Amino acid sequence: MSRIAFIGLGNMGAGMAANQVKAGRDVAAFDLSQLAVARAIASGCSSANSAEDAVRGADLVITMLPAGPHVRSLYSEHVIPNAKHGALLIDCSTIDVESARAVAKEAKAAGFRFADAPVSGGTAGADAGTLAFMVGCDEADFPEIESAISPMSRVTIRAGDHGAGQAAKICNNMLLGISMLGVCEAFALAEKLDLAPEKFFEIASKSSGQCWSLTSYAPWPGLVETAPSNRNYEGGFATAMMLKDLKLAQEAAAKSGASTPLGAQAEAIYALHERLGSGGRDFSSILQMLRGEI
Ligand code: NAD
């Protein structure tokens, strides 16, 4: 993997690109934000003047962009017309399944190998190189994709063909949004019943209510040291990002005919939380809304 083009160096992309550099790879970085490019240069990337400039001569192109329309236009207008023949293209953004499949089709028609490879693990995982990747790709391409991703990952699983990575991500995050709401409601009820939150945490952590939202990401402050609840819900995974993923899940459910009533409720509740001003705060801050603090 002699040269990498990395496009999209925001909260997630910055740490991911830095880990490619740490693995000894030559990374040409591009972002629309000059601040993001400056941060990438400080972590050892070289700066590209444009997306075209970054992808020309690169063997591997990695993108980490906000949403489907960004990915569609970047690939159609900049990456596919300019990338080196035979380059491997990997999009790590969380986007809708249809966009992922459309970009894959266009890339394949132009002779490129493409993967949708969204991630789980947040900014801490991006910085530490411990993200979980869920990949949609042609089976024959997976070993090379896994090796390309390895400096950024703790685990990489092929979910299936193109679009399957995004399907896995959307389902996982719908489950996460619902489970966090359940954990927050349980803490709010425990409080009203005069049950100490520390005692409820100790018991539920060892009982059938145990889940990641409780034991790795406890929304009640003072229980899990690394959880955003201990930093006044700053950083972490923004409510607006969770809402984006819940909307993707609801759109996918409507198109496919799946019944997801709890997913729909979760979307409505996080949307209210965003309207009350918490869009930029970690999604576990929804506990404060349920406790009537905001
Ligand atoms: P971000 O907004 O911090 O970063 C996106 C970057 O893309 C920005 O720097 C922006 O300037 C850049 N960009 C947008 N359009 C561009 C273009 N055409 N050319 C070049 N650069 C462009 O977002 P983020 O938090 O890094 O998230 C990126 C993706 O990762 C999203 O799809 C998100 O859903 C997903 N994700 C985020 C987290 C998280 O905890 N933040 C966790 C898992 C997955």
Side-chain angles (χ1 to χ4, degrees), residues 1-56:
M1 205 63 62
S2 50
R3 179 158 176 218
I4 300 177
F6 205 114
I7 303 175
L9 305 154
N11 291 329
M12 295 293 290
M16 293 164 71
N19 283 318
Q20 292 286 4
V21 172
K22 278 185 206 149
R25 296 172 177 179
D26 172 13
V27 181
F30 178 69
D31 194 291
L32 296 176
S33 151
Q34 286 306 311
L35 203 67
V37 173
R39 197 169 42 176
I41 293 171
S43 70
C45 298
S46 61
S47 151
N49 294 324
S50 61
E52 288 82 346
D53 192 23
V55 303
R56 262 187 221 113

Side-chain angles (χ1 to χ4, degrees), residues 7 10-12 31-32 64-66 94 119 122 237 241 244:
I7 303 175
N11 291 329
M12 295 293 290
D31 194 291
L32 296 176
M64 192 53 167
L65 301 168
T94 302
V119 305
F237 185 47
M241 287 282 190
K244 180 193 92 168

